[in-house]
Amino acid sequence: MTLRVASALDLAKGVRSFELVRPDGAALPAFTPGSHVSVQTPSGAWRKYSLCNDPAERHHYVIAVKNEIGSQGGSRSMHEKLRVGDTLSVSEPANAFALVAKARAYIFIAGGIGITPILSMIRSFGELPPAPWKLHYLSRDPESTAFLDVLSHPALRPYVVVHHSSGDPAKSYDLWPALEKPNGAHVYCCGPRRLMEAVRDMTGHWSPANVHFESFTEGGGTKPDDRPFTVKLARSAKEFEIPVGKSILSVVREHGCHANWSCESGTCGTCRTGLLEGQADHRDMVLLPEEMESQIMICVSRAKSERLVIDL
């Protein structure tokens, strides 16, 4: 779709929201809480952004963009080049972080800009939430905390805990009391990888079906010790080199091979693939320890061995 920027608003230090509408004012495709859209930024790069408005609002989409220091230019170009009245190419909404209906309760954990999909979920509840809920919103300081005014509204205040660490590890927030006892609630966590890994570790005794993660670091990011490796597709006997900076998924798709995928960040489980030979470097948020010898998430994980054989 081609959408027009109807308004832009600075929400916090380094965070700006953009309201996107159809140029003719027509209704936009429906979306569900937790959805995202892919946007072609002014730099030309495509980036995924969560929709943070109420899904009942069909006249606009609202996204919030953090100006990432050291980014390749996508978020920076949104801040520096995008103006009200400009148009953008935008995908229809997709959802790899769907809100489970009829849950017993909801525990939301957001870190920084990870508040965006969770805010859409909270807004979808309206005045009568379908179940008890609590938000734990972690950020560095008030100045960099997006939507602080919205979440400080008297109607929401009893359900929201906002914690500022000031960048001091000694002031980190203790999530264990909220996660110690599985109680049938569904946990939704979106934020920096460090936060998601901590939540994953603290919910190891929960049912995996009740713990959900969202990340927009496609391919899982690059690590200093990454190196190329080879992947063989068992069904076709095709072999490909996976270079540093590219995922198994992206390479096999480039060569016309079919693979299921959705989030591209190792959080939804759609690209789960059988691992037949080799040792994987698992970087997903989905697999259980007992599954790691026989399964791999090809959107993020790499290899510790020189070669992997996967069931594709």
Side-chain angles (χ1 to χ4, degrees), residues 155-230:
L156 297 180
R157 198 175 298 149
Y159 312 103
V160 176
V161 176
V162 180
H163 178 81
H164 307 300
S165 66
S166 303
D168 183 354
K171 297 180 180 179
S172 61
Y173 184 70
D174 185 8
L175 288 165
W176 181 243
L179 302 173
E180 180 180 6
K181 297 179 181 178
N183 55 12
H186 279 257
V187 177
Y188 288 83
C189 178
C190 184
R193 194 78 180 186
R194 182 177 64 256
L195 171 64
M196 293 196 298
E197 289 174 350
V199 171
R200 180 190 59 189
D201 292 345
M202 282 188 276
T203 54
H205 57 305
W206 287 61
S207 166
N210 285 50
V211 185
H212 315 268
F213 296 98
E214 175 84 309
S215 170
F216 291 112
T217 306
E218 293 187 13
T222 302
K223 295 184 177 180
D225 58 349
D226 281 352
R227 56 186 177 82
F229 61 96
T230 300

Side-chain angles (χ1 to χ4, degrees), residues 5 7-20 37 39 41-42 47-52 62-69 71 73-80 82 88 112-116 144 146-147 216:
V5 179
S7 65
L9 178 66
D10 288 327
L11 300 176
K13 183 179 179 181
V15 181
R16 183 172 297 166
S17 70
F18 297 94
E19 179 190 15
L20 308 177
V37 291
V39 175
T41 67
R47 295 290 183 266
K48 294 180 180 179
Y49 297 110
S50 294
L51 297 173
C52 52
V62 180
I63 59 175
V65 181
K66 181 181 179 181
N67 192 0
E68 297 284 359
I69 304 300
S71 76
S75 67
R76 188 168 66 248
S77 71
M78 293 284 282
H79 277 253
E80 296 178 355
L82 193 60
L88 294 167
I113 197 63
I115 188 61
T116 49
S144 61
F147 302 108
F216 291 112

Side-chain angles (χ1 to χ4, degrees), residues 27-35 51-62 119-127:
L28 289 160
F31 71 94
T32 51
S35 293
L51 297 173
C52 52
N53 55 297
D54 187 336
E57 299 170 350
R58 297 284 302 280
H59 65 287
H60 69 176
Y61 292 155
V62 180
L119 183 60
S120 178
M121 294 176 178
I122 292 170
R123 284 172 160 163
S124 75
F125 291 162
E127 295 182 359

Side-chain angles (χ1 to χ4, degrees), residues 131-148:
W133 64 272
K134 191 80 175 183
L135 167 64
H136 305 267
Y137 184 16
L138 316 182
S139 70
R140 182 182 180 88
D141 49 54
E143 292 75 23
S144 61
T145 306
F147 302 108
L148 190 56

